[in-house]
Amino acid sequence: MSREIVFEALAFLEGYNPSPSMKGMTNSNQIHEVYIKNAVVSLISIKQHNPQTDVGIVLNFQIGQKWKKLLERKGILIWNCPFKDFQMPQDIVYSLSYYKLCAFKYLVEQTKYDKFCFIDCDTFAVKNFNTLWKECEDAFMIVPADESLAHPVRREIAILYEKLYEKERNITHYCSGFIISAREAILSVLLRCNEIYGKIIETDSRPAGG
């Protein structure tokens, strides 16, 4: 087993909507197939450029045999983890995206990797992650969004923060499609996320924008 893991995470729940990018699709089997195809292409490309690194996917459902056999043949690991942590109400736009936190928690608790990298399934690797693994030894790395403070999403984040903590603060908006860090920092972030999640549920402070 390598010291590092690159993983993706997919979850589906009855009554929950997928990403807004799938807005025109109503057939749940078709939606599942699109997500899985994206993930398979992404994971295989990552493994091709990082043969010594473990690459895998965390799911809350059973993947079809066709895809399971292909992933196993390409050396991709598969974990099944129920969506029981960080589950948001279904009316939140990106509620299923919070499964990545559940997947992070599962891997940190159930495996012995030193470094973890989550990446969205609509991606494609073109080189190895060697420099990223080195850099994340001293940093929790996540991609910042490019919205200004005037953007509706940034305004909503600020309003939500003030409601939760009763003080104002300009919060930077980060994209969650790529996260890489060492175990200790991931554990610290997960503890903080669990605290914030508890406050959100307790106060019913729903992030409508996702």
Side-chain angles (χ1 to χ4, degrees):
M1 187 179 82
S2 73
R3 295 177 58 234
E4 301 92 14
I5 175 70
V6 182
F7 74 97
E8 297 178 6
L10 282 178
F12 297 109
L13 293 173
E14 188 69 30
Y16 279 65
N17 294 319
S19 167
S21 62
M22 299 287 186
K23 189 175 182 180
M25 302 175 67
T26 57
N27 185 302
S28 60
N29 290 331
Q30 184 183 20
I31 292 170
H32 289 196
E33 194 78 353
V34 169
Y35 272 105
I36 292 167
K37 283 181 178 178
N38 282 349
V40 167
V41 171
S42 177
L43 291 164
I44 291 174
S45 73
I46 294 168
K47 188 64 176 178
Q48 286 179 335
H49 291 283
N50 301 271
Q52 304 307 316
T53 299
D54 282 357
V55 177
I57 187 167
V58 184
L59 308 160
N60 78 326
F61 59 94
Q62 295 297 322
I63 196 171
Q65 285 299 310
K66 174 180 70 173
W67 299 118
K68 183 178 180 182
K69 289 179 180 178
L70 175 58
L71 290 174
E72 289 176 343
R73 189 166 71 248
K74 295 294 184 178
I76 309 299
L77 302 170
I78 302 171
W79 290 278
N80 283 104
C81 168
F83 194 169
K84 62 180 182 180
D85 297 300
F86 304 105
Q87 188 175 324
M88 289 291 190
Q90 68 185 67
D91 59 332
I92 292 177
V93 177
Y94 291 100
S95 54
L96 292 176
S97 294
Y98 289 83
Y99 182 65
K100 64 174 64 73
L101 295 175
C102 185
F104 256 120
K105 184 174 183 289
Y106 175 83
L107 290 178
V108 169
E109 292 178 348
Q110 301 297 324
T111 70
K112 296 182 179 179
Y113 294 108
D114 295 328
K115 301 171 187 175
F116 302 79
C117 176
F118 165 82
I119 190 167
D120 271 347
C121 64
D122 56 346
T123 56
F124 189 86
V126 296
K127 61 186 296 185
N128 66 56
F129 285 26
N130 293 349
T131 56
L132 292 171
W133 294 127
K134 181 64 177 176
E135 189 170 359
C136 82
E137 291 176 0
D138 301 301
F140 180 90
M141 297 170 62
I142 188 167
V143 181
D146 58 1
E147 295 96 353
S148 70
L149 281 173
H151 191 280
V153 172
R154 292 287 301 279
R155 292 204 304 269
E156 185 191 19
I157 292 171
I159 291 169
L160 181 59
Y161 182 90
E162 185 175 358
K163 184 176 180 180
L164 292 174
Y165 294 99
E166 299 181 343
K167 60 181 178 181
E168 295 184 6
R169 184 176 178 184
N170 295 321
I171 305 296
T172 302
H173 180 208
Y174 292 98
C175 299
S176 62
F178 179 85
I179 303 169
I180 183 169
S181 188
R183 171 180 287 271
E184 185 176 346
I186 291 292
L187 283 168
S188 177
V189 170
L190 285 173
L191 285 172
R192 185 66 167 151
C193 286
N194 192 60
E195 175 196 326
I196 296 169
Y197 172 76
K199 283 181 175 289
I200 288 173
I201 298 303
E202 180 184 347
T203 60
D204 195 27
S205 303
R206 304 185 181 197

